[in-house]
Amino acid sequence: MASEREVFGLSGPLHLTNIDWNNAHHRRSVAASLVEGVYILERDRQEKREGSQALAPPWWEFFHFKLVRKLIDDVDFCIFGAIYEYKPPSSHCNESIVSIDGNPRYVIAFRGTITKPDSFTRDFELDIHIMRNGLHQTSRFEIGMQAVRNMVATVGASNVWLAGHSLGAAMAMLAGKTMAKMGNFLEAFLFNPPYLSAPIERIKDKKVKHGIRIAGSVITAGLALAARGKNPRSRSEDPFSALSAWTPSLCVNPADHLCSEYIGYFEHRKKMEEIGAGAIERLATQHSLGGLFMSVVGKGVEAAEPLHLLPSANLTVNLSPSNDFKQAHGIHQWWRPDPNLKCSLYKFK
């Protein structure tokens, strides 16, 4: 039997009968619903729900989207993503030509981990790759990345949105960063993106928390300078600056330990700029402590760039209380009609 959370008529954003594409909450809610559509596509496949029994279509059809293509993993053949095309009513047909009112022409969405036997093994394998900064080496990411490249080449970066939740947010973030380094800046909605680090944000004492972050920045900056000394070529390479013009929308919950560190990550950089230590933080923010340590002592092996390193973001924090981790990490929270959200724009170079 299907869960109520899978049925759009029971748990979807039915209140959004008229979408204002210039309204941030509307845009966020639609993006989250399209990601949920990918989850339900895979659940329909697993439960063999077809035709009128399928539960996924309302998650995109309610907002006048059409499913163009399913993205299939080449290992377990699960559905991990989808490409949607915006097909508004004929009275708004001009919107389907150019995104003049803030609406997308296409949305490429990626789901997160599903804890069901048919897909969990492969999803968990991808989760491990994220921990090891190796997501870019997986065939699933390459399938998704190729879909993004092809769509951008066909319709242009301004007409493509990226969206993802949890593991899917990591996929969308990595795809967005890859495109940004090539000068293509895609609108992106990243829900509960994983940030793997010590849980500093859970420390209640602000002075202690700030002190730990300052110490980490100084050590990281020092190791970065040491790594540059061993690899002179890296002095002229600054892919981080290419990312500064890309401002993805990150949606996080303080009660979700998998993504809450983004809150402190951006707040700390702002504070370091305010106290005149911006140069230290600019250097530290471009690197991870673990990756730099391996670069310095790891026989010249250059570590992969950690996924969470971003110079800019539109950070949305859900301050509504959560009953448990499942609720704090869930995607349903992002289309609630009465959210208690704090939005902050961070743009650093």
Side-chain angles (χ1 to χ4, degrees):
M1 182 178 293
S3 163
E4 285 189 6
R5 297 174 66 82
E6 297 178 338
V7 181
F8 183 85
L10 298 176
S11 60
L14 296 172
H15 58 285
L16 294 180
T17 54
N18 292 299
I19 300 299
D20 176 1
W21 289 107
N22 293 310
N23 181 300
H25 181 57
H26 287 197
R27 291 156 66 91
R28 182 172 51 246
S29 297
V30 172
S33 296
L34 296 179
V35 174
E36 178 69 358
V38 183
Y39 276 106
I40 310 306
L41 271 172
E42 172 57 14
R43 290 294 295 134
D44 281 348
R45 185 192 71 86
Q46 293 178 1
E47 297 296 325
K48 297 179 173 58
R49 299 187 297 234
E50 299 177 349
S52 62
Q53 301 301 312
L55 298 178
W59 288 96
W60 57 82
E61 291 176 349
F62 186 82
F63 305 107
H64 306 297
F65 281 86
K66 173 186 175 183
L67 178 64
V68 175
R69 177 187 166 194
K70 302 172 186 176
L71 299 180
I72 310 296
D73 191 284
D74 64 340
V75 175
D76 66 354
F77 305 105
C78 71
I79 301 169
F80 70 88
I83 301 177
Y84 302 101
E85 181 182 7
Y86 182 53
K87 303 289 285 185
S90 57
S91 60
H92 303 286
C93 63
N94 63 306
E95 293 182 1
S96 66
I97 301 174
V98 181
S99 298
I100 58 176
D101 291 327
N103 62 274
R105 279 188 65 188
Y106 294 90
V107 177
I108 304 176
F110 304 100
R111 66 166 177 81
T113 301
I114 294 180
T115 56
K116 300 293 182 182
D118 287 354
S119 57
F120 177 71
T121 300
R122 176 62 170 162
D123 288 351
F124 184 70
E125 178 186 333
L126 272 292
D127 293 333
I128 297 299
H129 277 289
I130 292 175
M131 297 178 190
R132 300 171 59 187
N133 296 321
L135 184 62
H136 63 289
Q137 299 173 329
T138 65
S139 59
R140 178 184 291 189
F141 172 72
E142 185 49 43
I143 293 170
M145 188 68 240
Q146 193 58 51
V148 174
R149 289 193 193 100
N150 292 344
M151 189 57 65
V152 170
T154 302
V155 302
S158 63
N159 292 310
V160 180
W161 284 12
L162 298 175
H165 174 248
S166 193
L167 167 60
M171 294 269 294
M173 181 182 293
L174 185 53
K177 290 176 70 172
T178 302
M179 296 305 294
K181 291 176 181 178
M182 299 167 59
N184 296 305
F185 306 110
L186 278 63
E187 184 96 20
F189 293 87
L190 311 175
F191 303 101
N192 303 82
Y195 185 129
L196 302 174
S197 74
I200 301 174
E201 194 58 29
R202 305 184 79 174
I203 298 174
K204 301 300 182 182
D205 192 308
K206 292 185 178 180
K207 290 184 178 179
V208 172
K209 182 163 56 177
H210 188 44
I212 292 174
R213 292 194 186 280
I214 290 177
S217 295
V218 171
I219 295 171
T220 302
L223 282 173
L225 290 173
R228 285 185 178 184
K230 293 190 65 176
N231 184 11
R233 188 184 68 171
S234 66
R235 298 177 187 178
S236 61
E237 297 175 354
D238 186 12
F240 209 64
S241 63
L243 290 174
S244 62
W246 184 52
T247 311
S249 295
L250 271 62
C251 302
V252 304
N253 190 311
D256 176 6
H257 62 270
L258 291 181
C259 68
S260 62
E261 286 302 308
Y262 275 109
I263 301 171
Y265 173 81
F266 284 107
E267 287 183 349
H268 174 62
R269 179 153 192 187
K270 181 180 178 181
K271 290 179 180 178
M272 292 290 277
E273 295 280 355
E274 291 172 349
I275 65 175
I280 293 175
E281 190 59 21
R282 277 192 294 274
L283 184 57
T285 307
Q286 299 178 35
H287 304 276
S288 74
L289 196 55
L292 283 168
F293 182 77
M294 292 302 296
S295 295
V296 173
V297 303
K299 299 180 180 180
V301 177
E302 187 174 352
E305 176 186 291
L307 184 64
H308 67 262
L309 297 184
L310 282 173
S312 305
N314 191 341
L315 185 69
T316 299
V317 181
N318 186 0
L319 300 176
S320 303
S322 301
N323 295 325
D324 50 32
F325 167 75
K326 184 176 181 180
Q327 184 178 16
H329 189 66
I331 195 168
H332 286 65
Q333 65 184 298
W334 300 113
W335 60 69
R336 283 182 54 180
D338 55 346
N340 180 14
L341 305 178
K342 177 184 178 183
C343 300
S344 304
L345 177 62
Y346 297 96
K347 293 187 72 69
F348 300 111
K349 295 182 179 179

